[in-house]
Structures are given as C-alpha cells and as structure tokens.
Amino acid sequence: IVCLGFILAEMEDDLTTEEKSFLSSAVFMGMLCGGLIWGSISDSIGRRKALLLALGINTIAGLLSAASPDINWLIFFRVIAGLGLGGSVPCLFTLGKEIFPRKRSGQLLSVVAGMWVLGALYVALLGWIMLGELDIGWRLFAIASALPSAIAFGFSYEILPESTKYLMTKYLAKLIVFS
C-alpha cells in the first residue's frame, strides 16, 4: 500500500488523472475482493495453505508490477497484489487465533497487527534511499518492496503449523462420511 504512493510520485508526469485514480485505488479494489473470498478459501484448503497462497500471489504480483509494460498492466498487477494482501490478513489472524495459546492470543495478535508499521517504515526508508538518494527508478523499488512478502512466505512455509482446529474439522468430516 505504501509502495504505491512512491510509485505514483515517480510516474506522476506520465499519467492522466484517470490513470492515477485507477492506480491509486487498484490495490484497495484487490484487497476488498481478497478480504471477502479468502476466509472461505481458508475454510476449504486450510489456514496455512491459504496464507501461503495469498503471500505467494502478493509476492509474484508485486514482482510482476516491476515488469509492467504499461500503466494498464501495472494497474492489473496491483489489483492482483491487493487480492493477495487482502487474503493474507484474514488468513493470518484466523490462523493466529487458532494456534496461539489462549491466554496470550490477544497479546500475540496485537503484535502481529502492529507489524504493518515496520513494513511501512521499511518501504518509506526504501523509497527515500532508492528513489531519492540513489534515484534508481520505481521498478527496482517495486522489486525491493515485494521482498517482505517473499520473506514472510519463506518463514510461514518453514515455521507455521496448520491450525489444529482446521485439521480436527477435516478429520471429523471424514469420520462422519465413512461412518
């Protein structure tokens, strides 16, 4: 989300008012749709798998944004990135609520919710250095902005277990079917 403000500032002279409007709202359109569908997806395939898929979509779309041949493709990839971003939030919070110890779940979910601040600071610092001091262009900046999502994917893949509640629900459903 923060990354887009920097990209818009870099492209401002090359875009029409309509293109700026579409680009600035693209990620939010994707987040809205992603937020609405990912809960059901995580109920079907599991919280962990859904989170990994959402993070993967966000990462890939963020990287493809850097390769956009024109503004229409950039808008498209930002919508797709928004789908992944909008999906990672409900999946992460649901998974966290189900795997964190009950006595500390509120505290730990607050820490998870607060991590967006670190991401925003990372992107702001990155924008200041890459687009200001080094002036290397928005495409490399877009690639660097996709790295936290890629890192989150890697850590989630290696560390996060599937929700016990989800596994029990699927196991009980199989028992009922075979009974």
Side-chain angles (χ1 to χ4, degrees):
I1 296 171
V2 177
C3 149
L4 202 51
F6 288 98
I7 292 173
L8 271 169
E10 287 289 303
M11 301 177 79
E12 188 168 12
D13 297 336
D14 302 328
L15 302 177
T16 67
T17 302
E18 292 80 20
E19 290 170 334
K20 290 176 194 174
S21 297
F22 279 117
L23 183 57
S24 63
S25 62
V27 73
F28 295 111
M29 289 186 290
M31 286 176 67
L32 173 65
C33 295
L36 293 172
I37 63 171
W38 281 97
S40 296
I41 292 171
S42 72
D43 287 341
S44 299
I45 66 172
R47 314 291 187 226
R48 181 179 180 275
K49 286 180 187 174
L51 176 61
L52 290 171
L53 187 57
L55 288 169
I57 288 170
N58 187 31
T59 300
I60 291 167
L63 294 172
L64 288 173
S65 294
S68 299
D70 60 37
I71 186 64
N72 295 320
W73 279 103
L74 180 58
I75 291 168
F76 172 76
F77 289 132
R78 295 317 299 170
V79 169
I80 301 302
L83 282 171
L85 185 57
S88 63
V89 173
C91 294
L92 180 60
F93 279 91
T94 305
L95 180 61
K97 183 65 179 160
E98 292 177 0
I99 67 172
F100 291 154
R102 180 177 280 174
K103 289 184 178 183
R104 297 194 58 215
S105 67
Q107 177 188 18
L108 293 172
L109 285 171
S110 294
V111 170
V112 170
M115 288 296 115
W116 75 269
V117 175
L118 290 179
L121 289 172
Y122 167 79
V123 171
L125 182 62
L126 205 61
W128 177 56
I129 293 170
M130 294 182 81
L131 300 175
E133 298 296 315
L134 299 177
D135 194 25
I136 59 175
W138 70 267
R139 292 180 188 275
L140 290 175
F141 171 73
I143 292 170
S145 295
L147 291 179
S149 186
I151 292 168
F153 178 91
F155 278 124
S156 297
Y157 183 81
E158 289 296 322
I159 295 171
L160 282 180
E162 181 55 81
S163 160
T164 306
K165 182 178 178 181
Y166 169 79
L167 292 173
M168 285 177 40
T169 302
K170 289 300 176 184
Y171 178 73
L172 290 174
K174 286 180 183 177
L175 282 178
I176 292 169
V177 169
F178 290 117
S179 305

